Amino acid sequence: MPVGLKCPGNQYGIFQKSLISLNRSSTIKSPELVFSSTIHEQLTKLKTSRISSFVSNSFSFILSSSGEDRLASTSPSGSPSPSRNECSITPLTPSPSPRTEVRPCVARPFSVVVAIDFGTTSSGYAFSFTEDPETIHMMRRWEDGDPGVTNQKSPTCLLLTPDLRFHSFGFAARDSYHDLDPEEARHWLYFDKFKMKIHSTSDLTMETELESVSGRRVRAIEVFAYALRFFREHALKEVKDQSSSVLEGNEVRWVITVPAVWRQPAKQFMREAAYLAGLVTPDSPEQLLIALEPEAASIYCRKLRLHQVIDLSQRPVINGLDVDGSRPFDSSFRQGDRYIVADCGGGTVDLTVHQIEQPQGTLKELYKASGGPYGAVGVDLAFEAMLCQIFGADFIESFKAKRPAAWVDLTIAFEARKRTAAPGRANSLNISLPFSFIDFYKRHQGQSVETAMRKSNMNFIKWSSQGMLRLSAEAMNELFQPTINNIIKHVENLMQKEEVKDVRFLFLVGGFAESPMLQRAAQNALGRNCRIIIPHDVGLTILKGAVLFGLDPTVVRVRRCPLTYSVGVLNRFVEGRHPRDKLLIKDGREWCTDILDRFVSVDQSVALGEVVRRSYTPARMGQRKIIINIYCSDTDDITYITDPEVRKCGAITLDLLESGAVAASAGDNDKGPAFERREIRTTMQFGDTEIKVTAVDVATGRLVWASIDFLSN
């Protein structure tokens, strides 16, 4: 029985509550949804122990309360003490080779799949009924929105009341915040583009906080849970409107997209937020899938036809072939085709390399997912840096704190103009400065905005008497280039890898891929090496692919491990081979501590359902708990957990029966060999976006609880 299918109680059940209306300020527009009890209050009631389940993409287990502290190991006087004493197990056979087998994946039937594309800049949902998988229903069009922008998604922004209650999300949140009195707005909490915080935080925990535009802080898990709960309510209402039958909660499979370059704590964080939002409960973790964004896009792109894409390549074609002999994108992909998908989103750029396998049409990952924080937000940050250069960084920070709603207005104005930027554009782009910006600057700096512009000596930015910044084509190009150059450089480096050299197709997807600036740069820099393909519905590619993934999670048959994963173990100390500072004496025996025992290596191919079995035994007699610390590294050239490239990323806790019970069941004698050779057999299943684990106490045949937590300090 997989460990993740059962947990001790459902502490998250309290989060699924009915909706009631909230008395609102007269200056606030009515939100579409207001939740009864705040997630802040619910989180505050929780104790430090919490239930967590499968984590996406690499290592994922279930979290349970340990019940007792770790059994500390001590060294006798005179024995060198290692820098860390975190190893309490030893392999039954030193450095075992993993035995693998492939298990068939059994999918649980669901009536409907609902996917949520939780983006940095914009978010949305889509769904499909399993009886009609060819039809993907997109979310209803949102009211309001920006002029000239197709509102197929909602801005990823959220508004909380001063007492931390949900008020609104998306356009409603943005407009409501805009209508607040400046003094009142300082007490409300408005969050925008907050997804990037999860990517950039190296020590992410359940207590990590987000700072609102007004400077107030709240736990990040609360903000994400409110946003997911908002989409849950909207999606379920729309599904029920289109369903001929009454759907139960367990008939819905949820899919949430995350960047492939996110590390394990961030992926676990999204699952925790989904539990908190009431999408699913920890009792049914299989109801929620974590989809990797470029992978979802790839699943959708592999089915595209010629009339559904734009081929940016303009090279001459002779007899159906390019002059260099490569095949253009003619009608659709063929078996064996290999391609790169570059998901260019608001916060990150993710790249994946896939091959379509024969004859079943499944996908095989050829190189580990890669990318970085090179999304469209980089252009926004460049614009803010330009404002700081003109008006002073201190003033911009003060303006953001004192006039937060006006700052949001300014960013919205820039976003609208940013979308119209094109490489061939000759005329300037006008960006309206809010009146409060002009007034605030004059009162606090003692001079006009026009004077500041003149003193800045930035010739490619002018001031219009109508209260606008006029950005020349050169200025807009300066704002785009750093981010675009990072994307191009990353793709070029990827194409140098041996596994990727012969790939002839590059799909640009994601919201930033709509930018003509990025499209032209990609074609100029990469067009000689591959065909640049852009789907017509480029901004919805990931969302539609996530629905397809939820309908058939087995479509990606082989993945590459993004990191090397190991556990810390003790091995018998060998004089001359092991350093003396790793010597640890337990029960009169000499051990070498801090040794890494690998599960999988970086960039190793793992098939869907692939299983690795390992056996461990306690390093000390009478041990009632085994702590298996998990470590990861970007390289495979590692030996000890203290190596500089190694970092601890989680821990599995194995609770054992009392030693007397085992001795009675296994036979006991004066030397206690039964307990010394006690075997804990772990089974880890790889190849999916989430790894599953079970552990069996062989001496008793009892399934042992395995727990892991990537979010604890």
Side-chain angles (χ1 to χ4, degrees), residues 68-73 88 586 620 622-625 627:
E68 62 176 329
D69 294 331
R70 179 184 309 179
L71 294 176
S73 301
S88 61
K586 282 176 177 278
R620 188 180 61 192
Q623 207 165 308
R624 294 184 56 192
K625 182 184 297 295
I627 304 292

Side-chain angles (χ1 to χ4, degrees), residues 383-451:
F383 176 66
E384 183 177 337
M386 183 194 73
L387 293 178
C388 290
Q389 187 175 347
I390 297 172
F391 303 108
D394 291 342
F395 168 77
I396 294 299
E397 287 303 312
S398 177
F399 179 72
K400 289 165 66 175
K402 301 291 181 60
R403 297 290 186 270
W407 173 255
V408 171
D409 286 347
L410 179 54
T411 60
I412 292 170
F414 175 72
E415 177 69 25
R417 306 313 293 157
K418 180 179 74 174
R419 290 174 178 267
T420 65
R425 188 183 182 110
N427 55 319
S428 298
L429 289 170
N430 295 328
I431 299 173
S432 298
L433 282 180
F435 172 77
S436 60
F437 185 99
I438 300 171
D439 179 65
F440 195 80
Y441 186 79
K442 188 166 186 177
R443 286 196 288 121
H444 286 76
Q445 304 297 111
Q447 62 181 9
S448 68
V449 165
E450 185 177 3
T451 302

Side-chain angles (χ1 to χ4, degrees), residues 82 201 217 238 341 430 432 449 482 511 527 626 680 691:
T201 302
R217 302 179 68 86
E238 192 168 347
V341 173
N430 295 328
S432 298
V449 165
I626 291 180
I680 304 299
I691 291 177

Side-chain angles (χ1 to χ4, degrees), residues 670-703:
D670 294 338
K671 296 182 180 180
F675 195 89
E676 289 184 55
R677 295 291 297 172
R678 186 174 189 177
E679 180 181 359
I680 304 299
R681 185 178 300 158
T682 59
T683 301
M684 300 187 186
Q685 184 174 328
F686 294 89
D688 202 346
T689 58
E690 300 178 304
I691 291 177
K692 303 171 180 65
V693 62
T694 57
V696 176
D697 187 347
V698 175
T700 63
R702 178 191 177 209
L703 189 75

Side-chain angles (χ1 to χ4, degrees), residues 294 297 340-345 349-352 487 491 506-510 513:
I340 299 173
V341 173
D343 167 28
C344 306
V349 169
D350 269 347
L351 292 95
T352 191
I487 297 173
V491 176
L506 169 63
F507 279 87
L508 292 181
V509 303

